[in-house]
Amino acid sequence: MAMKPYSSARDEYHGDAKVFLDANENPDPFDYARYPDPYQKELKSRLASLRSVSADQLFIGNGSDEVIDLLIRATCRQGLDRILTLDPSYGMYTVSAAVNEIEIDLVAMDEDLDVDEISLFSTLNNQHKLIFICSPNNPNGAIVDPALIKRVLDVASGLVIVDEAYIDFADTDSWVTMLGEYSNLVVLQTMSKAFGCAGLRIGVGIMDSDLVQILNKIKPPYNISTANQDAALLRLENLDDVKRSIDAIRQERARIELLLLEMDIVDRIFPSQANFLLVRFQNSRKVLAQLLAEGIVVRDRSTHTHCNDCIRISIGTRMENELLIDCLSQC
Ligand SMILES: *Cc1c(COP(=O)(O)O)cnc(C)c1O
C-alpha cells in the first residue's frame, strides 16, 4: 500500500495538448508511434456500460492471465499466505502460484466434478488470501452452485475470484450483480472466448474500486497495446455479431451433445454451460489417435483428477463439428 508506482508520462499529463515532448516517443505520424492509454479509458467505458458496472470497478489485463498474476502479487507473501482452488480447474492458477512461489491448496472435486463442500470448507482457512472458483468450470463446463459461492464469500478472509471466462455461454447470471454486497468478490471475465478475441489478450477484472487502484500501482504501465485496445473497441461496436456467434455455439453444443450420446464409444458427457464438452470415452487414447490422424486436435484431459478417458472438445463451426462427428462415427 505504501509503494510508490512508476509514474508514466501519461500519468503526469493527460488531456489534449499541441505538442507532446514528454515520453521520448518518435514524432513520426505512424499510427502506433505514441504510447497507449495506460488506463484504457475508452475500452473501460464501453465494457462498464455493457456489464452495468462503473468504469472504476474495472481492471484490464493483458489476458485474464495477467490479472491472475497481479492479484497474486498484490496480496500474497511467500511463506505466509496461500491460495485455494478446486481440482480439476483452470491450470493458470497453479502455474501463477508456482511462479510467485505461493503455496496453493487444490481441493479435489467429487467424481461427478461437483464441488466437495466438506473438503472445501475443511481446507479453507485464514491463510488463504485468494480463492479461485471457475464457473462455468474449465474443463467440465458446470456452473458452481451460487449458494456455495455465497458461503465461501461469507467465511473467507481473502478475496474470492469467480472466473467467468465462459459466462456468456451460460444460462445463469454473472456475479457482477453481487459486487455491491461482497467487497471481497472479484469477477474475472475475458474477451478471449465469447467475444472471439483470444488474439487480443483482453482480460477483465471487475472488483472494488480500491482494489483496482492497488492493481494499477503494480501493473506494467502500458500493459494493453493501442492496437489491442482499438481492435477490442471495434469488436464491442459489433455486439450483434458477438451475440449471433454465442447463439450458434450454444445451439451446436446441444446438437453435438445429442449426437455424441448416441455413440457406443462415448461413456459420459459432463453437462456444460460453456463452449466445450468434456467427454468420457471408453478408450480416449484410441479416439485421440483417430482424430489426430484426421487432423482434428482436441484436448486430452485424461490425466486430470477424476478425468480418466476424458477429452475436452471445443465447439467449432458447424462444418468443423461435422468433421469431428464423422471421424468419431468411424472410431
Ligand atoms: C480461457 C480462460 C481464460 C482466459 O484467459 P485469457 O488470458 O483472458 O485469454 C480465463 N479463465 C479460464 C478458466 C479460461 O478457460
Side-chain angles (χ1 to χ4, degrees), residues 85-89 106-110 113-114 137 139 304-306:
T85 194
L86 302 165
D87 178 36
S89 193
L106 303 176
V107 175
M109 302 265 201
D110 68 20
L113 303 185
D114 288 325
N137 188 44
H304 291 231
T305 307
H306 302 315

Side-chain angles (χ1 to χ4, degrees), residues 10 20 31 64-65 68 94 112 121 157 191-192 228 231 286 294 298:
R10 288 287 69 75
F20 282 100
D31 274 355
S64 312
D65 295 342
I68 293 167
T94 309
D112 294 320
F121 287 103
S157 59
M191 289 188 68
S192 293
N228 289 356
K286 208 174 136 205
E294 292 292 321
V298 290

Side-chain angles (χ1 to χ4, degrees), residues 39-57:
Y39 303 109
Q40 311 95 22
K41 283 197 204 58
E42 220 182 323
L43 186 52
K44 281 185 183 173
S45 144
R46 288 287 293 126
L47 286 168
S49 69
L50 179 70
R51 297 307 195 189
S52 303
V53 294
S54 122
D56 63 9
Q57 290 175 289

Side-chain angles (χ1 to χ4, degrees), residues 63-65 90 93 134 138 163 165-166 190 192-193 201-203:
S64 312
D65 295 342
Y90 187 44
Y93 315 135
C134 186
N138 183 356
D163 187 339
Y166 301 98
T190 178
S192 293
K193 309 288 160 59
R201 316 304 306 124
I202 304 286

Side-chain angles (χ1 to χ4, degrees), residues 32-267:
Y32 300 114
R34 301 291 175 171
Y35 278 104
D37 172 3
Y39 303 109
Q40 311 95 22
K41 283 197 204 58
E42 220 182 323
L43 186 52
K44 281 185 183 173
S45 144
R46 288 287 293 126
L47 286 168
S49 69
L50 179 70
R51 297 307 195 189
S52 303
V53 294
S54 122
D56 63 9
Q57 290 175 289
L58 295 182
F59 180 86
I60 300 184
N62 196 344
S64 312
D65 295 342
E66 186 179 45
V67 188
I68 293 167
D69 180 67
L70 289 174
L71 281 166
I72 295 176
R73 289 204 266 164
T75 59
C76 293
R77 298 159 299 174
Q78 286 170 13
L80 293 172
D81 302 317
R82 308 176 74 84
I83 296 171
L84 183 147
T85 194
L86 302 165
D87 178 36
S89 193
Y90 187 44
M92 276 310 289
Y93 315 135
T94 309
V95 171
S96 233
V99 168
N100 290 291
E101 295 186 68
I102 305 298
E103 300 282 338
I104 185 163
D105 292 306
L106 303 176
V107 175
M109 302 265 201
D110 68 20
E111 301 221 323
D112 294 320
L113 303 185
D114 288 325
V115 180
D116 179 341
E117 295 196 31
I118 294 174
S119 175
L120 170 59
F121 287 103
S122 65
T123 308
L124 181 62
N125 65 43
N126 288 343
Q127 278 184 297
H128 293 116
K129 284 289 176 72
L130 299 175
I131 296 113
F132 287 97
I133 299 177
C134 186
S135 179
N137 188 44
N138 183 356
N140 53 318
I143 292 283
V144 176
D145 177 14
L148 179 132
I149 296 181
K150 278 190 186 166
R151 280 176 62 207
V152 175
L153 281 159
D154 284 332
V155 303
S157 59
L159 298 172
V160 179
I161 297 113
V162 181
D163 187 339
E164 293 189 336
Y166 301 98
I167 193 65
D168 296 301
F169 300 109
D171 298 325
T172 51
D173 287 337
S174 163
W175 276 84
V176 289
T177 55
M178 302 302 282
L179 284 164
E181 262 171 77
Y182 296 100
S183 60
N184 59 336
L185 170 64
V186 174
V187 179
L188 198 56
Q189 297 182 347
T190 178
M191 289 188 68
S192 293
K193 309 288 160 59
F195 288 81
C197 296
L200 297 181
R201 316 304 306 124
I202 304 286
V204 186
I206 314 171
M207 63 197 85
D208 190 281
S209 57
D210 289 344
L211 184 56
V212 173
Q213 291 304 324
I214 289 174
L215 296 185
N216 278 343
K217 276 178 139 183
I218 64 170
K219 81 181 184 81
Y222 301 112
N223 60 327
I224 313 291
S225 77
T226 305
N228 289 356
Q229 292 185 47
D230 288 350
L233 276 164
L234 198 65
R235 187 64 168 162
L236 291 170
E237 278 162 24
N238 295 293
L239 288 176
D240 287 348
D241 292 347
V242 174
K243 199 181 167 304
R244 252 193 304 278
S245 122
I246 293 170
D247 288 344
I249 289 167
R250 283 167 50 97
Q251 272 181 29
E252 280 292 283
R253 180 181 73 202
R255 190 179 73 87
I256 293 161
E257 186 172 7
L258 289 177
L259 290 171
L260 288 173
L261 279 171
E262 285 169 12
M263 294 183 185
D264 291 339
I265 54 166
V266 171
D267 243 14

